[in-house]
Amino acid sequence: MYQQASKESRVGASALPEMSTGADAHPTSRRAGISRSAGAFKTPAAARTYWVLLAVLTAAAALAAFGLLAYGNPFETGTLKWWLIAERRSNALIAMAVAAVCQAVATVAFQTVTNNRIITPGILGFQALYAAIHTATIYFAGAAGLIAARTLDTFIFQLVMMVALSLLLYSWLLTGRRANMHVMLLVGVVLGGGLGSVSTFMQRMLTPSEFDILTARLFASVNNADPAYYPVALPLVVLSVAVLYAKSRTLNALSLGAPAATNLGIDHRRESIIVLVIVALMMAVSTALVGPLTFLGFLVATLTYQFADTYDHRYLFPMATVLSFAILAVSYFIMNHIFSAQGVVGIIIELIGGLTFLIVILRKGKL
């Protein structure tokens, strides 16, 4: 009870502008020997730790990104040929950045709205729909059809289908009198399982060569991204992140739960649906661009809560974004240039994310 009251005091203070003093680290007032904090961090030391970790992660991400551009480049640094190779490699780096931002920001916002730090947006069936679309393409059009379908129109079609699925769930299960977030999540799990079963059935009818091509496409990889997708993907991601960051104080209030958020003047249902639609859009962009990344968002969000040590989304979003990009960039650099096994990066991230999920479940003892 005391911990909940303490959380509400901290989050509620950062959710209401008039209660904030502007100094995020340690605006305290002492009255009759009692110290009360109204900042985003518990103590000044926690604020310093946050900025130090953010600086270290930013430096690691920048070094890994430069290494991906420059390491193994046979030409002299700064020459025209060197830049041509660096520009070619930068396409993969942009895809990495888009996936990192989408997975990190969408997962943190999704866990805040659902008030559950175990589940991820993938529970709504985005990965299953992505697999079903590609499996159906190769099932009806063959391997040549799947390769030929790698166009901007197909990318937009996948985005529309995934967002339409999420809007169907939200409009059906969150706008009625008996709106229930948990029922919506359960329906998402059932739909994802149904789509997965349909995909498995069609995969069993494929030839071995077609199945190999499909398997390579269903593993997440930055090499799946086509630079032709960026004019559509980048504006959507930038706009989505800007809207969610502008709603940081609203998310702080939503994290307290529906009753507390309503008492703070927040229309809980309307704000939750807005955030979920943006989350669906970001997950659709990430999945359609590089493929399904089931546990990256969970891994990043879990580490972010440990590193940031705050409930304020103005600080959670930057930490999650930098951490997500650092994980992807460092992983790709190590696997590409040290172990020469770039195709397994997504598999290793999913393995580590899955182990982290099990550890968190065993420590909490509940979902």
Side-chain angles (χ1 to χ4, degrees):
M1 180 66 73
Y2 172 78
Q3 292 178 347
Q4 179 65 20
S6 176
K7 173 184 174 182
E8 292 185 1
S9 174
R10 293 196 304 273
V11 179
S14 57
L16 299 176
E18 62 269 19
M19 296 179 65
S20 174
T21 62
D24 297 319
H26 51 85
T28 58
S29 62
R30 297 181 180 277
R31 183 179 300 171
I34 299 176
S35 177
R36 303 179 61 184
S37 173
F41 297 97
K42 298 176 183 177
T43 62
R48 286 194 297 271
T49 302
Y50 172 88
W51 290 113
V52 169
L53 285 174
L54 188 64
V56 171
L57 289 172
T58 303
L63 285 175
F66 181 76
L68 287 171
L69 292 177
Y71 190 84
N73 193 326
F75 300 103
E76 184 179 353
T77 304
T79 60
L80 178 60
K81 293 181 178 179
W82 187 91
W83 279 111
L84 288 175
I85 292 180
E87 182 180 358
R88 189 180 181 86
R89 294 179 177 181
S90 66
N91 291 326
L93 208 59
I94 294 173
M96 209 178 297
V98 171
V101 171
C102 290
Q103 293 285 333
V105 175
T107 302
V108 171
F110 183 80
Q111 293 183 346
T112 297
V113 171
T114 57
N115 256 324
N116 192 318
R117 291 188 172 183
I118 296 297
I119 59 178
T120 66
I123 199 172
L124 296 177
F126 294 106
Q127 287 87 356
L129 182 58
Y130 175 85
I133 291 174
H134 283 77
T135 304
T137 302
I138 198 170
Y139 179 80
F140 291 108
L146 181 66
I147 296 173
R150 192 175 177 180
T151 62
L152 180 61
D153 293 338
T154 305
F155 176 73
I156 296 175
F157 172 74
Q158 293 176 23
L159 289 182
V160 172
M161 290 296 293
M162 292 180 195
V163 175
L165 174 64
S166 61
L167 290 178
L168 176 65
L169 288 177
Y170 302 157
S171 59
W172 174 30
L173 299 169
L174 289 182
T175 57
R177 289 185 177 181
R178 298 180 179 179
N180 189 312
M181 184 75 71
H182 295 94
V183 172
M184 184 201 71
L185 297 176
L186 182 60
V187 172
V189 172
V190 172
L191 287 177
L195 289 171
S197 299
V198 173
S199 300
T200 302
F201 170 76
M202 289 188 289
Q203 288 171 8
R204 288 182 177 276
M205 307 296 286
L206 300 177
T207 64
S209 59
E210 290 174 337
F211 185 76
D212 285 343
I213 295 173
L214 177 64
T215 302
R217 185 66 63 88
L218 295 183
F219 279 117
S221 173
V222 294
N223 296 323
N224 290 337
D226 191 324
Y229 303 160
Y230 296 157
V232 176
L234 291 178
L236 290 176
V237 173
V238 171
L239 181 62
S240 300
V241 172
V243 172
L244 285 181
Y245 190 82
K247 288 185 170 294
S248 293
R249 293 181 186 277
T250 301
L251 287 167
N252 293 345
L254 293 178
S255 68
L256 300 173
T262 303
N263 286 335
L264 290 171
I266 303 295
D267 187 338
H268 184 270
R269 181 180 299 182
R270 184 174 67 88
E271 294 296 338
S272 296
I273 292 176
I274 292 174
V275 172
L276 288 175
V277 170
I278 297 173
V279 167
L281 181 61
M282 298 182 74
M283 290 301 297
V285 171
S286 172
T287 305
L289 191 66
V290 302
L293 287 165
T294 307
F295 286 109
L296 175 63
F298 172 80
L299 176 64
V300 169
T302 302
L303 294 177
T304 298
Y305 300 137
Q306 301 298 319
F307 291 168
D309 196 20
T310 177
Y311 291 94
D312 196 331
H313 289 74
R314 292 174 298 169
Y315 300 94
L316 288 177
F317 284 148
M319 177 65 79
T321 301
V322 173
L323 180 60
S324 180
F325 183 75
I327 289 175
L328 280 180
V330 172
S331 299
Y332 269 95
F333 179 80
I334 292 175
M335 300 310 295
N336 284 4
H337 299 298
I338 296 180
F339 296 106
S340 300
Q342 70 177 66
V344 301
V345 172
I347 300 173
I348 292 176
I349 290 176
E350 300 300 289
L351 175 63
I352 296 175
L355 290 175
T356 307
F357 178 81
L358 292 177
I359 292 172
V360 172
I361 288 289
L362 293 175
R363 289 185 61 185
K364 289 173 67 71
K366 62 180 181 180
L367 290 175

